[in-house]
Amino acid sequence: MTPRFINRLLRQWFRRDLTVWYDPAYRLPLAGLDGVVGMEPRRADFVAWYLVDKQVVPAEAIRTPEPISYNDLGRVHDASWLESLSTPIVLARVFAAAPEEIRVDPLLQTVRLACGGTLSAARWALQHQKATLNLLGGFHHAGRASGGGFCAVNDMVVALAALRAEGFTGHTAFIDLDAHPPDGTSDCVGNDANVWIGSISGCDWGPLDNVDETILAEGAGDEQYLDALDGMLSRMPRTDLAFVIAGGDVLANDRLGKLGLSLDGVRRRDMRVMDRLRGIPSVWIPGGGYHENAWRVLAGTAIALSLHTRQAISPKYDPLSRRYAAIAAGLAPKDLGNDDDSSSSDILEALGLGPSRKPRALGYYTAEGIEYALDRYGIFFQLRRLGYDPLQVEVDSTGAGDRMRVYGQSAGKKHLLIENVVEKKRIADHDVLYIHWLTLRHPLAQFTEKRPQLPGQEVPGLGMAREMSEIELRIAMRLGFAGIAFRPSWYHMAYAARSRFQFVDPRRQGRFLAMLRDLGHCPLLEVTLACADGRVRMNGERYSWEADEMVYLLDTPIAESAIATEEANRVRFTIESATAAT
């Protein structure tokens, strides 16, 4: 037996009965959150896909929640506050977005689904006397008549109030392990003698009289945190139900959190809490997380609950790539437009004996085929939630290559959302998918101080660059290309592609590596704007961004050459301040 087979058997034997609550609509319909606050909008998706792919839980253990009712929300929150949530300006303040970008109904659907998931999880936990996991929730900054920090309503206290209306009378513990204090939960609970709130955070927002609160110093690491956790858990009174916010923002270098835990430290945290709650029904929810590894924290919580192991998630595992590979495998050529009798149709059309053939991008994809694929990949689902419906694809040819466009309507106006121009081209002695142009447009959104205009942008983006990059990769693989190439017009485009792509010219690659080395401590936005404004210096001289070709080869990656290393060592980059430049 292979080690992989043995590992699979062990997981089957020792896996506990963990139920997970999730819906694709858990992704907030806000396109700019990852850039503004570092939030991974796909966190719940990534975790659900990973858990099933790696058999941490069976597919049937993923449950779909029902939206919470307004009657349930009204048991905790003031009617005036709930009414205010129907206005874009209030939701914009809660979710750190521009009012123009707020789509009230889809956003409230996400909030209500998450709250419904927490309530369903609590009912399940009490019925089965076990732990369960909801992949969105822990909205602990929502008070009775207030909200903020991405928390519009308090799902945990709302769930408890609904359980009490159904007859639950037991003691409840809120174990808040998010990096920020539970100010909203404190306000909602008040002086309830049957509720205990314990919190470990990395910032002091003032005293919370009804909270057993531990505030750690900025940067506190694993051992200091776990010592504080042991102390807090020892003070927790007897409880009949626990809500655990297994916050992902406790990681070192989290964008908004100030603690310094490692991924292993977070897993140890979860396992200690799980051991303390053995035999007590518990609902686990993710809270905040503003780090690229926040999804690994939440997936690790599920691993701890289901498998009770500290086995790390491979840093090479990419849930989006794995998911899209599986979807691509299920897309038949006939679904995408490549019918078997295409050659005979071409002959008939040339002889004037048949109807004109539909345009095909790269000789393969029809507009209908592209629509079908984008729907299967979930792109259309997210575009509709951003406010565009109906959606339409058009295919034609330009002087540069084949063009695919996605249009969407809003308020009776037709908007260009996606435009992609591609062709087959010979690069670095390989036939590759050459991307002349790829733009993702969200014309209903507006640029703000927190989400400024990037070089080359006419309107804000859709927040789907990773999805579209994976789709381009699947196109190249399906058509037998050796890889993908493009010419990044701006620094941020090359930066986003750096993990896979290299510049074809080794000296150009060396200069790019030097930029990453010398300017890596600066925010990406600052560097890309400095490049566009002519404020970057190379060896003291003004440097202009070089838009040369980058390539990603699927099977034979370009090795880092000695020439690139030599060039990287030769140059040094600095940024001149905007005031100095003027």
Side-chain angles (χ1 to χ4, degrees):
M1 292 188 291
T2 66
R4 180 177 296 180
F5 181 74
I6 294 173
N7 187 52
R8 182 178 299 176
L9 283 179
L10 290 174
R11 289 196 172 197
Q12 294 289 342
W13 289 337
F14 293 106
R15 185 172 63 199
R16 303 178 185 187
D17 183 14
L18 177 66
T19 299
V20 178
W21 302 88
Y22 159 76
D23 191 285
Y26 273 10
R27 177 171 176 171
L28 290 168
L30 298 168
L33 286 181
D34 51 343
V36 173
V37 298
M39 178 184 289
E40 173 50 80
R42 313 163 188 84
R43 177 172 65 170
D45 298 327
F46 284 1
V47 175
W49 300 342
Y50 174 85
L51 297 181
V52 174
D53 181 35
K54 291 298 184 178
Q55 299 182 331
V56 176
V57 299
E60 58 270 20
I62 307 289
R63 305 288 183 87
T64 302
E66 293 292 330
I68 200 81
S69 71
Y70 281 99
N71 182 55
D72 286 329
L73 293 174
R75 291 192 178 96
V76 173
H77 294 285
D78 289 356
S80 59
W81 172 248
L82 295 177
E83 180 66 25
S84 74
L85 294 178
S86 63
T87 59
I89 193 167
V90 173
L91 289 174
R93 187 168 64 249
V94 171
F95 290 97
E100 295 79 9
E101 192 175 350
I102 296 294
R103 294 263 299 147
V104 172
D105 289 344
L107 185 51
L108 290 182
Q109 179 198 26
T110 296
V111 172
R112 292 179 61 205
L113 278 171
C115 290
T118 299
L119 175 55
S120 296
R123 286 170 174 157
W124 190 96
L126 285 173
Q127 179 183 354
H128 298 275
Q129 294 291 295
K130 293 181 178 180
T132 186
L133 174 65
N134 183 21
L135 296 185
L136 182 63
F139 304 142
H140 62 163
H141 297 313
R144 291 184 178 275
S146 62
F150 311 103
C151 305
V153 294
N154 197 302
D155 57 307
M156 302 165 295
V157 184
V158 167
L160 177 58
L163 294 175
R164 286 176 168 176
E166 296 166 4
F168 175 70
T169 60
H171 294 271
T172 303
F174 293 95
I175 303 174
D176 193 321
L177 305 178
D178 186 276
H180 303 96
D183 54 334
T185 304
S186 172
D187 176 53
C188 290
V189 168
N191 296 318
D192 193 325
N194 277 347
V195 171
W196 176 84
I197 306 172
S199 169
I200 300 178
S201 62
C203 50
D204 188 353
W205 289 358
L208 300 173
D209 295 336
N210 57 351
V211 178
D212 182 332
E213 187 174 20
T214 302
I215 300 172
L216 298 177
E218 184 173 339
D222 295 349
E223 300 309 321
Q224 186 177 353
Y225 187 98
L226 293 172
D227 286 345
L229 177 63
D230 289 340
M232 187 191 75
L233 293 177
S234 71
R235 298 188 297 271
M236 185 180 77
R238 181 189 65 82
T239 187
D240 302 294
L241 173 66
F243 292 88
V244 183
I245 303 183
D249 52 3
V250 297
L251 285 178
N253 300 316
D254 183 89
R255 193 87 165 260
L256 300 182
K258 296 182 179 180
L259 295 172
L261 273 68
S262 67
L263 283 170
D264 183 65
V266 179
R267 186 78 60 85
R268 292 164 64 193
R269 173 200 72 178
D270 293 346
M271 293 177 71
R272 289 195 188 189
V273 176
M274 182 182 66
D275 289 341
R276 174 63 177 85
L277 295 177
R278 194 174 304 278
I280 299 171
S282 58
V283 178
W284 295 64
I285 33 192
Y290 314 96
H291 188 287
E292 63 181 358
N293 281 325
W295 79 266
R296 285 184 163 83
V297 172
L298 183 53
T301 298
I303 292 171
L305 293 172
S306 180
L307 304 176
H308 201 276
T309 176
R310 287 167 57 188
Q311 180 178 338
I313 299 170
S314 169
K316 296 182 179 180
Y317 184 92
D318 183 344
L320 184 65
S321 181
R322 289 291 289 263
R323 176 73 171 182
Y324 275 25
I327 293 173
L331 297 176
K334 62 181 180 60
D335 297 326
L336 303 174
N338 190 40
D339 50 86
D340 293 336
D341 62 346
S342 57
S343 58
S344 60
S345 298
D346 289 342
I347 295 173
L348 291 173
E349 179 187 350
L351 294 174
L353 301 177
S356 298
R357 208 169 159 240
K358 296 177 180 178
R360 280 169 167 75
L362 298 167
Y364 194 97
Y365 297 93
T366 63
E368 294 82 2
I370 295 170
E371 288 181 3
Y372 178 73
L374 293 179
D375 187 62
R376 288 285 304 277
Y377 284 120
I379 301 298
F380 275 12
F381 175 71
Q382 295 301 334
L383 289 177
R384 292 188 181 101
R385 299 187 74 234
L386 291 177
Y388 304 101
D389 195 36
L391 299 162
Q392 178 187 0
V393 173
E394 294 182 3
V395 173
D396 62 10
S397 293
T398 70
D402 293 339
R403 179 169 56 191
M404 297 165 275
R405 287 173 166 174
V406 178
Y407 292 94
Q409 290 193 26
S410 179
K413 185 177 180 180
K414 185 178 180 181
H415 298 279
L416 174 64
L417 307 179
I418 302 173
E419 185 175 45
N420 189 200
V421 179
V422 295
E423 71 168 331
K424 178 182 178 181
K425 192 172 181 179
R426 192 77 175 172
I427 299 289
D429 296 324
H430 293 86
D431 289 332
V432 300
L433 176 69
Y434 194 86
I435 302 172
H436 285 280
W437 179 254
L438 174 61
T439 182
L440 308 176
R441 300 163 43 87
H442 188 7
L444 297 184
Q446 293 187 4
F447 295 114
T448 65
E449 182 180 350
K450 292 182 178 179
R451 193 185 181 191
Q453 185 174 8
L454 293 174
Q457 281 189 317
E458 296 177 351
V459 297
L462 290 167
M464 299 182 187
R466 290 186 65 183
E467 285 86 347
M468 291 307 301
S469 295
E470 281 297 327
I471 289 173
E472 301 277 23
L473 175 61
R474 300 301 148 193
I475 291 173
M477 295 176 71
R478 181 177 291 273
L479 299 184
F481 293 140
I484 303 175
F486 79 118
R487 185 185 295 268
S489 303
W490 309 100
Y491 173 80
H492 62 274
M493 298 170 66
Y495 184 89
R498 70 193 186 285
S499 63
R500 285 178 170 172
F501 287 76
Q502 292 188 40
F503 283 96
V504 176
D505 180 346
R507 295 198 177 278
R508 177 67 187 91
Q509 175 67 10
R511 291 190 289 276
F512 181 58
L513 292 175
M515 290 189 75
L516 296 175
R517 178 198 66 212
D518 298 339
L519 308 180
H521 64 284
C522 301
L524 173 61
L525 177 62
E526 180 181 343
V527 180
T528 198
L529 291 178
C531 284
D533 297 342
R535 292 187 288 110
V536 173
R537 301 278 178 169
M538 183 179 75
N539 291 345
E541 301 295 327
R542 189 176 301 278
Y543 174 78
S544 297
W545 175 253
E546 304 166 79
D548 290 344
E549 289 172 340
M550 297 185 83
V551 66
Y552 167 50
L553 299 179
L554 301 176
D555 297 323
T556 55
I558 297 177
E560 202 68 74
S561 70
I563 296 176
T565 302
E566 177 186 356
E567 182 69 1
N569 292 333
R570 185 187 69 84
V571 297
R572 291 291 183 272
F573 285 89
T574 57
I575 291 180
E576 193 176 45
S577 69
T579 54
T582 57

